Amino acid sequence: MAEFPARLAAEVRARRGALGLSQRDLAELAGVSERFVRFVEQGKRSVQLDSLLALLGTLGLELRLGTRTSSAARALAGEPAGEPTNEPEDVPEPRP
């Protein structure tokens, strides 16, 4: 789980840079504080989900969920034992 904040930070920084936006510009466009943008880009582990979704939506990025199943979870779901799956599920885009 520790890798997620770092990956998120890198993706947001790269996309913001590719769009030629400053942190301030991005904050204004997304309706969040410049401090929040800095926190995301620093990989802070505690950020508000609604603000994060607004930021990602502004950048044209999406947050996707995937299921990581253990053998116990697969057994409860009635699935055969085997390799864990990590297929992403579509998550609706946030509405402004």
Side-chain angles (χ1 to χ4, degrees):
M1 185 70 170
E3 67 204 35
F4 177 76
R7 182 174 173 205
L8 177 66
E11 291 287 336
V12 168
R13 275 192 312 272
R15 181 69 174 157
R16 180 178 59 79
L19 294 172
L21 297 172
S22 68
Q23 288 180 336
R24 176 176 283 162
D25 294 336
L26 176 55
E28 289 175 5
L29 288 169
V32 299
S33 70
E34 188 176 347
R35 181 178 181 209
F36 180 81
V37 174
R38 278 195 313 274
F39 282 177
V40 171
E41 290 190 2
Q42 291 170 357
K44 297 284 184 186
R45 297 176 72 88
S46 178
V47 295
Q48 290 199 333
L49 185 58
D50 59 342
S51 297
L52 178 60
L53 292 174
L55 186 75
L56 295 176
T58 299
L59 291 170
L61 298 172
E62 63 182 14
L63 183 61
R64 298 182 67 120
L65 298 178
T67 303
R68 282 192 249 173
T69 55
S70 66
S71 38
R74 283 193 304 277
L76 287 172
E79 298 174 11
E83 292 298 312
T85 61
N86 191 9
E87 295 185 24
E89 298 174 16
D90 288 330
V91 177
E93 292 187 26
R95 296 184 182 254

Coordinates of all heavy atoms in Angstrom, one line a residue:
M1 N 0.8 -1.2 0.0 CA 0.0 0.0 0.0 C 0.9 1.3 0.0 O 0.5 2.3 -0.5 CB -0.9 0.0 1.2 CG -1.9 1.1 1.3 SD -3.1 0.9 -0.1 CE -4.3 2.2 0.4
A2 N 2.1 1.2 0.5 CA 2.9 2.3 0.6 C 3.3 2.8 -0.8 O 3.6 4.0 -1.0 CB 4.2 2.0 1.4
E3 N 3.2 2.0 -1.8 CA 3.6 2.4 -3.1 C 2.5 3.2 -3.8 O 2.8 4.0 -4.7 CB 3.9 1.2 -4.0 CG 2.7 0.3 -4.2 CD 3.0 -1.1 -4.5 OE1 4.0 -1.7 -4.0 OE2 2.3 -1.7 -5.4
F4 N 1.3 3.1 -3.4 CA 0.2 3.8 -4.0 C 0.4 5.3 -3.9 O 0.3 6.0 -4.9 CB -1.2 3.4 -3.5 CG -2.3 4.2 -4.1 CD1 -2.7 4.0 -5.4 CD2 -2.9 5.2 -3.4 CE1 -3.7 4.7 -6.0 CE2 -3.9 6.0 -4.0 CZ -4.3 5.7 -5.3
P5 N 0.6 5.9 -2.7 CA 0.8 7.4 -2.6 C 1.9 7.9 -3.5 O 1.8 8.9 -4.2 CB 1.1 7.6 -1.2 CG 0.4 6.5 -0.4 CD 0.6 5.3 -1.4
A6 N 3.0 7.1 -3.6 CA 4.2 7.5 -4.4 C 3.8 7.5 -5.9 O 4.1 8.4 -6.7 CB 5.4 6.7 -4.1
R7 N 3.1 6.4 -6.3 CA 2.7 6.3 -7.7 C 1.7 7.4 -8.1 O 1.8 8.0 -9.1 CB 2.1 5.0 -8.0 CG 1.7 4.8 -9.4 CD 1.2 3.4 -9.7 NE 0.7 3.3 -11.0 CZ -0.2 2.5 -11.4 NH1 -0.7 1.5 -10.6 NH2 -0.7 2.5 -12.7
L8 N 0.7 7.7 -7.2 CA -0.3 8.7 -7.4 C 0.4 10.1 -7.5 O 0.1 10.9 -8.4 CB -1.3 8.8 -6.2 CG -2.3 9.8 -6.3 CD1 -3.3 9.6 -7.5 CD2 -3.1 9.9 -5.0
A9 N 1.4 10.3 -6.6 CA 2.1 11.6 -6.7 C 2.8 11.8 -8.0 O 2.8 12.9 -8.6 CB 3.1 11.7 -5.5
A10 N 3.5 10.7 -8.4 CA 4.3 10.8 -9.7 C 3.3 11.0 -10.9 O 3.6 11.8 -11.8 CB 5.1 9.5 -9.9
E11 N 2.2 10.3 -10.9 CA 1.3 10.5 -12.0 C 0.7 11.9 -12.1 O 0.6 12.5 -13.1 CB 0.1 9.5 -11.9 CG 0.5 8.0 -12.1 CD 0.8 7.7 -13.6 OE1 0.3 8.4 -14.5 OE2 1.6 6.8 -13.8
V12 N 0.3 12.4 -10.9 CA -0.3 13.8 -10.9 C 0.8 14.8 -11.3 O 0.5 15.7 -12.1 CB -0.8 14.1 -9.4 CG1 -1.2 15.6 -9.3 CG2 -2.1 13.2 -9.2
R13 N 2.0 14.7 -10.8 CA 3.1 15.7 -11.2 C 3.3 15.6 -12.7 O 3.4 16.6 -13.3 CB 4.4 15.3 -10.4 CG 4.5 16.0 -9.0 CD 5.9 15.9 -8.5 NE 6.5 14.5 -8.6 CZ 6.3 13.6 -7.7 NH1 5.7 13.8 -6.6 NH2 6.9 12.4 -7.9
A14 N 3.4 14.4 -13.2 CA 3.7 14.2 -14.6 C 2.6 14.8 -15.5 O 2.8 15.5 -16.5 CB 3.9 12.8 -14.9
R15 N 1.3 14.5 -15.1 CA 0.2 15.0 -15.9 C 0.1 16.5 -15.8 O -0.1 17.2 -16.8 CB -1.1 14.3 -15.4 CG -2.3 14.7 -16.2 CD -2.3 14.2 -17.6 NE -3.5 14.6 -18.2 CZ -3.7 14.7 -19.5 NH1 -2.8 14.4 -20.4 NH2 -4.9 15.0 -20.0
R16 N 0.3 17.1 -14.6 CA 0.2 18.5 -14.5 C 1.3 19.2 -15.3 O 1.1 20.2 -16.0 CB 0.4 18.9 -13.0 CG 0.4 20.4 -12.7 CD 0.5 20.8 -11.3 NE 1.7 20.3 -10.7 CZ 2.9 20.9 -10.8 NH1 3.1 21.9 -11.6 NH2 4.0 20.4 -10.2
G17 N 2.5 18.6 -15.3 CA 3.6 19.1 -16.1 C 3.3 19.0 -17.6 O 3.6 20.0 -18.3
A18 N 2.8 17.9 -18.0 CA 2.5 17.7 -19.4 C 1.4 18.8 -19.9 O 1.4 19.2 -21.0 CB 2.0 16.3 -19.7
L19 N 0.5 19.2 -19.0 CA -0.5 20.2 -19.3 C 0.0 21.6 -19.1 O -0.7 22.5 -19.5 CB -1.7 19.9 -18.5 CG -2.5 18.6 -18.7 CD1 -3.6 18.4 -17.7 CD2 -3.0 18.6 -20.2
G20 N 1.2 21.7 -18.6 CA 1.8 23.1 -18.5 C 1.1 23.9 -17.4 O 1.1 25.1 -17.5
L21 N 0.6 23.2 -16.3 CA -0.1 23.9 -15.3 C 0.9 24.0 -14.0 O 1.6 23.1 -13.7 CB -1.3 23.1 -14.8 CG -2.4 22.9 -15.9 CD1 -3.5 21.9 -15.3 CD2 -3.0 24.3 -16.2
S22 N 0.8 25.1 -13.4 CA 1.4 25.3 -12.1 C 0.5 24.6 -11.0 O -0.7 24.3 -11.3 CB 1.6 26.8 -11.7 OG 0.3 27.4 -11.5
Q23 N 1.1 24.4 -9.8 CA 0.2 23.9 -8.8 C -0.9 24.8 -8.5 O -2.1 24.4 -8.2 CB 1.1 23.6 -7.5 CG 2.0 22.5 -7.6 CD 2.8 22.2 -6.4 OE1 3.0 23.2 -5.6 NE2 3.3 21.0 -6.2
R24 N -0.7 26.1 -8.5 CA -1.7 27.1 -8.3 C -2.8 27.0 -9.3 O -4.0 27.0 -9.0 CB -1.2 28.5 -8.2 CG -2.3 29.6 -8.1 CD -1.7 30.9 -7.9 NE -1.2 31.0 -6.5 CZ -0.3 31.9 -6.1 NH1 0.2 32.8 -6.9 NH2 0.0 31.9 -4.8
D25 N -2.4 26.9 -10.6 CA -3.4 26.8 -11.7 C -4.3 25.6 -11.5 O -5.5 25.7 -11.7 CB -2.7 26.7 -13.1 CG -1.9 27.9 -13.5 OD1 -2.2 29.0 -13.0 OD2 -1.0 27.8 -14.3
L26 N -3.6 24.5 -11.2 CA -4.4 23.2 -11.0 C -5.3 23.3 -9.9 O -6.5 22.9 -10.0 CB -3.4 22.0 -10.8 CG -4.0 20.7 -10.5 CD1 -5.0 20.3 -11.6 CD2 -3.0 19.6 -10.4
A27 N -4.9 23.9 -8.8 CA -5.8 24.1 -7.6 C -7.0 24.9 -8.0 O -8.1 24.5 -7.6 CB -5.0 24.7 -6.5
E28 N -6.8 26.0 -8.7 CA -7.9 26.8 -9.0 C -8.9 26.1 -10.0 O -10.1 26.2 -9.8 CB -7.4 28.1 -9.7 CG -6.7 29.1 -8.7 CD -6.1 30.3 -9.3 OE1 -6.3 30.5 -10.6 OE2 -5.5 31.1 -8.6
L29 N -8.3 25.4 -11.0 CA -9.2 24.7 -11.9 C -10.0 23.6 -11.2 O -11.1 23.3 -11.6 CB -8.4 24.1 -13.0 CG -7.8 25.1 -14.0 CD1 -6.8 24.4 -14.9 CD2 -8.9 25.7 -14.9
A30 N -9.4 22.9 -10.2 CA -10.0 21.8 -9.6 C -10.9 22.2 -8.4 O -11.6 21.4 -7.9 CB -8.9 20.8 -9.1
G31 N -10.7 23.5 -8.0 CA -11.5 23.9 -6.8 C -11.0 23.4 -5.5 O -11.8 23.1 -4.6
V32 N -9.7 23.2 -5.4 CA -9.0 22.7 -4.2 C -7.9 23.7 -3.8 O -7.6 24.6 -4.6 CB -8.5 21.3 -4.3 CG1 -9.5 20.3 -4.7 CG2 -7.3 21.2 -5.4
S33 N -7.4 23.5 -2.7 CA -6.3 24.5 -2.3 C -5.0 24.1 -2.9 O -4.8 22.9 -3.2 CB -6.1 24.5 -0.7 OG -5.6 23.2 -0.3
E34 N -4.1 25.0 -3.1 CA -2.8 24.8 -3.6 C -2.0 23.8 -2.6 O -1.3 23.0 -3.0 CB -2.0 26.1 -3.7 CG -0.7 25.9 -4.4 CD 0.0 27.3 -4.7 OE1 -0.6 28.3 -4.5 OE2 1.2 27.2 -5.0
R35 N -2.3 24.0 -1.3 CA -1.7 23.1 -0.3 C -2.1 21.7 -0.6 O -1.3 20.7 -0.4 CB -2.1 23.6 1.1 CG -1.6 22.8 2.2 CD -2.0 23.3 3.5 NE -1.5 22.5 4.6 CZ -2.0 22.4 5.8 NH1 -3.2 22.9 6.0 NH2 -1.4 21.6 6.7
F36 N -3.4 21.4 -0.9 CA -3.8 20.1 -1.2 C -3.1 19.5 -2.4 O -2.6 18.3 -2.4 CB -5.3 20.1 -1.5 CG -5.8 18.7 -1.8 CD1 -6.1 17.8 -0.8 CD2 -6.0 18.3 -3.1 CE1 -6.5 16.5 -1.0 CE2 -6.5 17.0 -3.4 CZ -6.7 16.1 -2.3
V37 N -2.9 20.3 -3.4 CA -2.1 19.8 -4.6 C -0.7 19.4 -4.2 O -0.2 18.4 -4.6 CB -2.1 20.9 -5.7 CG1 -1.2 20.5 -6.9 CG2 -3.5 21.2 -6.3
R38 N -0.1 20.2 -3.4 CA 1.3 19.9 -2.9 C 1.3 18.6 -2.1 O 2.2 17.8 -2.3 CB 1.8 21.0 -2.0 CG 2.4 22.2 -2.8 CD 3.2 23.1 -1.9 NE 2.6 23.5 -0.6 CZ 1.8 24.5 -0.5 NH1 1.5 25.3 -1.5 NH2 1.3 24.8 0.7
F39 N 0.3 18.4 -1.2 CA 0.2 17.2 -0.5 C 0.1 16.0 -1.4 O 0.7 15.0 -1.1 CB -1.0 17.2 0.5 CG -0.8 18.0 1.8 CD1 -1.8 18.2 2.7 CD2 0.4 18.7 2.0 CE1 -1.6 18.9 3.8 CE2 0.6 19.4 3.2 CZ -0.4 19.5 4.1
V40 N -0.8 16.0 -2.4 CA -0.9 14.9 -3.3 C 0.4 14.7 -4.0 O 0.9 13.5 -4.1 CB -2.0 15.2 -4.3 CG1 -2.1 14.1 -5.4 CG2 -3.4 15.2 -3.6
E41 N 1.1 15.7 -4.5 CA 2.3 15.6 -5.2 C 3.5 15.1 -4.3 O 4.5 14.7 -4.8 CB 2.6 16.8 -6.0 CG 1.7 17.1 -7.1 CD 2.1 18.2 -8.0 OE1 3.2 18.8 -7.8 OE2 1.4 18.5 -9.0
Q42 N 3.3 15.3 -3.0 CA 4.4 14.8 -2.1 C 4.1 13.4 -1.6 O 4.8 12.8 -0.8 CB 4.4 15.8 -0.9 CG 5.0 17.1 -1.2 CD 4.8 18.1 0.0 OE1 4.2 17.8 1.0 NE2 5.3 19.3 -0.2
G43 N 2.9 12.8 -2.0 CA 2.6 11.5 -1.6 C 2.1 11.4 -0.2 O 2.2 10.3 0.4
K44 N 1.5 12.5 0.3 CA 1.0 12.4 1.7 C -0.1 11.3 1.7 O -0.9 11.1 0.8 CB 0.3 13.7 2.1 CG 1.3 14.9 2.2 CD 2.1 14.8 3.4 CE 3.0 16.0 3.4 NZ 4.0 16.0 4.5
R45 N -0.1 10.6 2.8 CA -1.0 9.4 2.9 C -2.4 9.7 3.3 O -3.3 8.9 3.1 CB -0.4 8.4 3.9 CG 1.0 7.9 3.5 CD 1.6 7.1 4.5 NE 1.0 5.8 4.7 CZ 1.3 4.7 4.0 NH1 2.3 4.8 3.1 NH2 0.7 3.6 4.2
S46 N -2.7 10.9 3.7 CA -4.0 11.2 4.2 C -4.5 12.4 3.4 O -4.1 13.5 3.6 CB -4.0 11.5 5.7 OG -5.3 11.9 6.1
V47 N -5.4 12.1 2.4 CA -6.0 13.2 1.6 C -7.5 12.9 1.5 O -7.9 11.8 1.6 CB -5.4 13.3 0.2 CG1 -4.0 13.7 0.2 CG2 -5.6 12.0 -0.6
Q48 N -8.3 13.9 1.3 CA -9.7 13.8 1.2 C -10.1 13.3 -0.2 O -9.6 13.8 -1.2 CB -10.5 15.1 1.4 CG -10.4 15.5 2.9 CD -11.4 16.6 3.2 OE1 -11.9 17.3 2.4 NE2 -11.8 16.6 4.5
L49 N -10.9 12.2 -0.2 CA -11.3 11.6 -1.4 C -12.0 12.5 -2.4 O -11.7 12.5 -3.6 CB -12.1 10.3 -1.2 CG -12.4 9.4 -2.4 CD1 -11.2 9.0 -3.1 CD2 -13.3 8.3 -1.9
D50 N -12.9 13.3 -1.9 CA -13.7 14.2 -2.9 C -12.7 15.2 -3.5 O -12.8 15.4 -4.7 CB -14.8 14.8 -2.2 CG -14.5 15.7 -1.0 OD1 -13.3 15.5 -0.4 OD2 -15.3 16.5 -0.6
S51 N -11.8 15.7 -2.8 CA -10.8 16.6 -3.3 C -9.9 15.9 -4.3 O -9.5 16.5 -5.4 CB -10.0 17.3 -2.2 OG -10.9 18.1 -1.4
L52 N -9.5 14.7 -4.0 CA -8.6 13.9 -4.8 C -9.3 13.6 -6.2 O -8.7 13.8 -7.2 CB -8.2 12.6 -4.2 CG -7.3 11.7 -5.0 CD1 -6.0 12.4 -5.4 CD2 -7.0 10.4 -4.3
L53 N -10.6 13.3 -6.1 CA -11.3 13.0 -7.3 C -11.5 14.2 -8.2 O -11.4 14.1 -9.4 CB -12.7 12.3 -7.0 CG -12.6 10.9 -6.4 CD1 -14.0 10.5 -6.0 CD2 -11.9 10.0 -7.3
A54 N -11.7 15.4 -7.6 CA -11.8 16.6 -8.3 C -10.5 16.9 -9.0 O -10.4 17.3 -10.2 CB -12.2 17.8 -7.4
L55 N -9.4 16.7 -8.3 CA -8.0 17.0 -8.8 C -7.8 16.1 -10.0 O -7.3 16.5 -11.1 CB -7.0 16.8 -7.7 CG -5.6 17.1 -8.1 CD1 -5.4 18.6 -8.1 CD2 -4.6 16.5 -7.1
L56 N -8.0 14.8 -9.8 CA -7.8 13.8 -10.9 C -8.7 14.1 -12.1 O -8.2 14.0 -13.3 CB -8.0 12.4 -10.4 CG -7.0 11.9 -9.3 CD1 -7.4 10.5 -8.8 CD2 -5.6 11.9 -9.8
G57 N -9.9 14.4 -11.9 CA -10.9 14.7 -13.0 C -10.4 15.9 -13.8 O -10.5 15.9 -15.0
T58 N -9.9 16.9 -13.1 CA -9.3 18.1 -13.8 C -8.2 17.8 -14.7 O -8.0 18.3 -15.8 CB -8.9 19.2 -12.7 OG1 -10.1 19.5 -12.0 CG2 -8.3 20.4 -13.4
L59 N -7.4 16.8 -14.2 CA -6.2 16.4 -15.0 C -6.5 15.3 -16.1 O -5.7 14.9 -16.8 CB -5.1 15.8 -14.1 CG -4.5 16.8 -13.2 CD1 -3.6 16.1 -12.1 CD2 -3.6 17.8 -13.9
G60 N -7.8 14.9 -16.1 CA -8.2 13.9 -17.1 C -7.7 12.5 -16.6 O -7.5 11.6 -17.5
L61 N -7.4 12.3 -15.3 CA -7.0 11.0 -14.8 C -8.2 10.4 -14.1 O -9.1 11.1 -13.7 CB -5.8 11.2 -13.8 CG -4.6 11.8 -14.4 CD1 -3.6 12.1 -13.3 CD2 -4.0 10.8 -15.5
E62 N -8.1 9.1 -13.9 CA -9.2 8.4 -13.1 C -8.6 7.5 -12.1 O -7.5 7.0 -12.3 CB -10.2 7.7 -14.0 CG -9.5 6.5 -14.8 CD -10.5 5.8 -15.7 OE1 -11.6 6.4 -16.0 OE2 -10.1 4.8 -16.2
L63 N -9.3 7.3 -11.0 CA -8.9 6.4 -10.0 C -9.7 5.1 -10.2 O -10.9 5.1 -10.4 CB -9.3 6.9 -8.6 CG -8.9 6.1 -7.4 CD1 -7.4 6.0 -7.3 CD2 -9.4 6.8 -6.1
R64 N -9.0 4.0 -10.4 CA -9.7 2.7 -10.6 C -9.5 1.8 -9.5 O -8.4 1.7 -8.9 CB -9.2 2.1 -11.9 CG -9.4 3.0 -13.1 CD -8.9 2.4 -14.4 NE -9.8 1.2 -14.6 CZ -10.5 1.0 -15.7 NH1 -10.5 1.9 -16.6 NH2 -11.2 -0.1 -15.9
L65 N -10.5 1.0 -9.2 CA -10.4 0.0 -8.1 C -10.3 -1.4 -8.7 O -10.9 -1.7 -9.7 CB -11.7 0.0 -7.3 CG -12.0 1.3 -6.5 CD1 -13.3 1.2 -5.8 CD2 -10.9 1.7 -5.6
G66 N -9.5 -2.2 -8.1 CA -9.3 -3.6 -8.5 C -9.5 -4.5 -7.3 O -9.3 -4.0 -6.1
T67 N -9.8 -5.7 -7.5 CA -10.0 -6.6 -6.4 C -8.7 -7.5 -6.3 O -8.3 -8.1 -7.2 CB -11.2 -7.5 -6.7 OG1 -12.3 -6.7 -6.9 CG2 -11.4 -8.5 -5.5
R68 N -8.1 -7.4 -5.1 CA -7.0 -8.3 -4.8 C -7.6 -9.4 -3.9 O -8.0 -9.1 -2.8 CB -5.9 -7.6 -4.1 CG -5.1 -6.7 -5.0 CD -3.9 -6.3 -4.3 NE -4.0 -4.8 -4.1 CZ -3.2 -4.1 -3.4 NH1 -2.3 -4.6 -2.7 NH2 -3.4 -2.8 -3.3
T69 N -7.6 -10.6 -4.4 CA -8.3 -11.6 -3.6 C -7.3 -12.6 -3.0 O -6.3 -13.0 -3.6 CB -9.3 -12.4 -4.4 OG1 -8.6 -12.9 -5.6 CG2 -10.4 -11.5 -4.9
S70 N -7.5 -12.9 -1.7 CA -6.7 -13.9 -1.1 C -7.4 -15.3 -1.3 O -8.6 -15.3 -1.7 CB -6.6 -13.6 0.4 OG -7.9 -13.7 1.0
S71 N -6.8 -16.4 -1.0 CA -7.5 -17.6 -1.1 C -8.7 -17.7 -0.2 O -9.7 -18.3 -0.6 CB -6.5 -18.8 -0.9 OG -5.6 -18.6 0.2
A72 N -8.7 -17.1 0.9 CA -9.8 -17.1 1.8 C -11.0 -16.4 1.2 O -12.1 -16.8 1.2 CB -9.5 -16.6 3.2
A73 N -10.7 -15.2 0.6 CA -11.8 -14.4 0.0 C -12.3 -15.2 -1.2 O -13.5 -15.1 -1.5 CB -11.2 -13.1 -0.4
R74 N -11.5 -15.8 -2.0 CA -11.9 -16.6 -3.1 C -12.8 -17.7 -2.7 O -13.9 -18.0 -3.3 CB -10.8 -17.1 -4.0 CG -10.1 -16.0 -4.8 CD -9.2 -16.6 -5.8 NE -8.1 -17.4 -5.3 CZ -7.0 -17.0 -4.7 NH1 -6.7 -15.7 -4.7 NH2 -6.1 -17.8 -4.3
A75 N -12.5 -18.4 -1.6 CA -13.3 -19.5 -1.1 C -14.6 -19.0 -0.7 O -15.7 -19.6 -0.9 CB -12.5 -20.2 0.1
L76 N -14.7 -17.9 0.0 CA -16.0 -17.3 0.4 C -16.8 -16.9 -0.8 O -18.1 -17.0 -0.7 CB -15.7 -16.1 1.3 CG -15.2 -16.3 2.7 CD1 -14.9 -15.0 3.4 CD2 -16.2 -17.1 3.5
A77 N -16.2 -16.5 -1.8 CA -16.9 -16.1 -3.0 C -17.3 -17.3 -3.9 O -17.9 -17.2 -4.9 CB -16.1 -15.1 -3.9
G78 N -16.9 -18.5 -3.5 CA -17.2 -19.7 -4.2 C -16.3 -19.9 -5.5 O -16.7 -20.6 -6.4
E79 N -15.2 -19.2 -5.5 CA -14.3 -19.3 -6.7 C -13.3 -20.4 -6.4 O -12.9 -20.6 -5.3 CB -13.6 -18.0 -6.9 CG -14.6 -16.9 -7.3 CD -13.9 -15.5 -7.4 OE1 -12.6 -15.5 -7.4 OE2 -14.6 -14.5 -7.4
P80 N -12.8 -21.0 -7.5 CA -11.7 -22.1 -7.3 C -10.4 -21.4 -6.8 O -10.2 -20.2 -7.1 CB -11.6 -22.7 -8.6 CG -12.1 -21.7 -9.6 CD -13.2 -20.9 -8.8
A81 N -9.6 -22.2 -6.1 CA -8.3 -21.7 -5.7 C -7.4 -21.5 -6.9 O -7.6 -22.2 -7.9 CB -7.7 -22.6 -4.7
G82 N -6.6 -20.6 -6.9 CA -5.7 -20.3 -8.0 C -5.0 -19.0 -7.8 O -4.8 -18.5 -6.7
E83 N -4.5 -18.5 -8.9 CA -3.8 -17.2 -8.9 C -4.7 -16.1 -8.5 O -5.9 -16.0 -9.0 CB -3.1 -16.9 -10.2 CG -2.0 -17.9 -10.6 CD -0.9 -17.8 -9.6 OE1 -0.4 -16.7 -9.3 OE2 -0.4 -18.9 -9.1
P84 N -4.3 -15.1 -7.7 CA -5.1 -13.9 -7.4 C -5.3 -13.1 -8.7 O -4.5 -13.1 -9.6 CB -4.2 -13.1 -6.4 CG -3.1 -14.0 -6.1 CD -3.0 -15.1 -7.0
T85 N -6.5 -12.5 -8.7 CA -6.8 -11.6 -9.9 C -6.7 -10.2 -9.4 O -6.8 -9.9 -8.2 CB -8.2 -11.9 -10.4 OG1 -9.1 -11.6 -9.3 CG2 -8.3 -13.3 -10.9
N86 N -6.4 -9.3 -10.4 CA -6.4 -7.9 -10.1 C -6.9 -7.1 -11.3 O -6.3 -6.4 -11.9 CB -4.9 -7.5 -9.8 CG -4.8 -6.0 -9.3 OD1 -5.9 -5.5 -8.9 ND2 -3.7 -5.5 -9.2
E87 N -8.2 -7.4 -11.6 CA -8.9 -6.8 -12.7 C -9.5 -5.5 -12.2 O -10.3 -5.6 -11.2 CB -9.9 -7.8 -13.3 CG -9.2 -9.0 -13.9 CD -10.2 -9.9 -14.6 OE1 -11.3 -9.4 -15.0 OE2 -9.9 -11.1 -14.7
P88 N -9.3 -4.4 -12.9 CA -9.9 -3.2 -12.4 C -11.4 -3.1 -12.7 O -11.9 -3.7 -13.6 CB -9.2 -2.1 -13.3 CG -8.6 -2.8 -14.5 CD -8.4 -4.3 -14.0
E89 N -12.1 -2.4 -11.8 CA -13.5 -2.2 -12.0 C -13.7 -0.8 -12.4 O -13.0 0.1 -11.8 CB -14.3 -2.5 -10.7 CG -14.1 -4.0 -10.2 CD -14.8 -4.2 -8.9 OE1 -15.5 -3.3 -8.5 OE2 -14.5 -5.2 -8.3
D90 N -14.6 -0.5 -13.3 CA -14.9 0.9 -13.6 C -15.5 1.6 -12.5 O -16.4 1.1 -11.8 CB -15.8 1.0 -14.9 CG -15.0 0.6 -16.1 OD1 -13.8 0.8 -16.2 OD2 -15.7 0.1 -17.1
V91 N -15.0 2.8 -12.2 CA -15.6 3.7 -11.2 C -16.1 4.9 -12.0 O -15.3 5.5 -12.8 CB -14.5 4.1 -10.2 CG1 -15.1 5.1 -9.2 CG2 -14.0 2.9 -9.5
P92 N -17.3 5.4 -11.7 CA -17.8 6.5 -12.4 C -17.0 7.8 -12.1 O -16.5 7.9 -11.0 CB -19.2 6.7 -11.9 CG -19.5 5.6 -10.9 CD -18.3 4.8 -10.8
E93 N -16.9 8.6 -13.2 CA -16.1 9.8 -13.0 C -16.9 10.8 -12.1 O -18.1 10.8 -12.1 CB -15.9 10.5 -14.3 CG -15.0 9.8 -15.2 CD -14.6 10.6 -16.5 OE1 -14.7 11.8 -16.4 OE2 -14.3 9.9 -17.5
P94 N -16.1 11.6 -11.3 CA -16.8 12.5 -10.4 C -17.5 13.6 -11.2 O -17.0 14.0 -12.3 CB -15.7 13.1 -9.5 CG -14.5 12.9 -10.3 CD -14.7 11.6 -11.2
R95 N -18.6 14.1 -10.7 CA -19.3 15.2 -11.4 C -18.9 16.5 -10.7 O -18.8 16.6 -9.5 CB -20.8 15.0 -11.3 CG -21.2 13.8 -12.0 CD -22.8 13.7 -12.0 NE -23.2 12.4 -12.6 CZ -23.7 12.4 -13.8 NH1 -23.9 13.5 -14.5 NH2 -24.0 11.2 -14.4
P96 N -18.6 17.5 -11.5 CA -18.2 18.8 -11.0 C -19.3 19.4 -10.2 O -20.4 19.2 -10.3 CB -17.8 19.6 -12.2 CG -18.2 18.9 -13.4 CD -18.6 17.5 -13.0

